[in-house]
Amino acid sequence: LTQNLVEALTDHELDVAIMSTPIDHELIDLEVVGREALLVVAPAQHPLCAEGEIALADLRAQPAITLHEMHCLGRQISEFCETRRLASNVVCSMTQIDTLLEFVRLGLGVSIVPEMVASNDQNPERRYLRFKRSGPTREIALAWRQGRLRSHLGRAFASSLRRRVEERAAATT
């Protein structure tokens, strides 16, 4: 959880953490390294999968499985859905993405997840759909404790992550 990462950074238990923004803590410095699309995940046989892309209006009548708002990602997706009036048909809320994906596979609803989830999911019983336009994204950032020296290993990790995020962004455009 984001809060646990923030606490570990402020307590000097971690040198650096990867998280999505926003993070509002006076002792945490953020370095945004890229953006990631959020995609709709649906059961492979769902009628929404026929086109390969989805419109916001297509989601309004669908049962939704959400990530609990204790996760910053859950809050981000919830805010996106609420501002677009998509949050009225939530059938269940999960604390783990793997459980959420299994519920989608079982046909209990659709969900919105990060693109990195899609790229790591090898299950043929789920499909990932991009939004036709104005889909949500999230920022990926490195978090450091303010005032703490950045170790050589931490800087190397940050550089490696930046390259990987840039490569991934280039591959999806």
Side-chain angles (χ1 to χ4, degrees):
L1 297 176
T2 301
Q3 186 58 38
N4 295 350
L5 292 172
V6 168
E7 288 175 18
L9 286 166
T10 59
D11 292 342
H12 299 280
E13 295 171 9
L14 291 177
D15 290 333
V16 61
I18 304 170
M19 51 186 68
S20 61
T21 62
I23 304 298
D24 187 25
H25 193 285
E26 67 277 358
L27 294 177
I28 301 297
D29 288 333
L30 293 174
E31 177 184 343
V32 174
V33 295
R35 295 190 76 77
E36 173 182 40
L38 299 178
L39 309 175
V40 173
V41 59
Q45 302 305 316
H46 197 288
L48 291 175
C49 296
E51 284 190 48
E53 290 184 322
I54 192 164
L56 286 173
D58 296 332
L59 291 178
R60 287 198 175 93
Q62 298 301 316
I65 301 167
T66 63
L67 190 61
H68 194 279
E69 290 189 19
M70 67 196 286
H71 297 276
C72 65
L73 175 62
R75 286 190 303 274
Q76 290 168 340
I77 293 170
S78 177
E79 288 170 10
F80 171 80
C81 291
E82 285 173 14
T83 61
R84 287 153 182 88
R85 294 186 302 277
L86 298 174
S88 62
N89 201 11
V90 174
V91 294
C92 57
S93 183
M94 304 285 135
T95 58
Q96 299 293 320
I97 287 183
D98 288 340
T99 307
L100 178 147
L101 292 175
E102 185 61 14
F103 274 48
V104 168
R105 185 191 68 77
L106 292 170
L108 300 174
V110 299
S111 193
I112 298 175
V113 297
E115 189 170 34
M116 71 175 64
V117 170
S119 66
N120 291 314
D121 187 0
Q122 302 300 312
N123 192 314
E125 296 180 57
R126 286 185 289 267
R127 294 283 184 272
Y128 294 86
L129 309 166
R130 290 192 180 278
F131 286 89
K132 288 181 180 174
R133 56 191 162 103
S134 67
T137 61
R138 69 175 182 164
E139 289 181 327
I140 304 297
L142 291 166
W144 311 82
R145 188 185 194 293
Q146 191 175 66
R148 185 171 184 170
L149 290 177
R150 296 181 183 183
S151 68
H152 173 70
L153 185 58
R155 290 191 315 271
F157 174 75
S159 178
S160 177
L161 179 63
R162 265 187 240 96
R163 278 193 310 276
R164 180 69 178 126
V165 168
E166 289 168 5
E167 290 167 3
R168 189 179 199 88
T172 60
T173 56

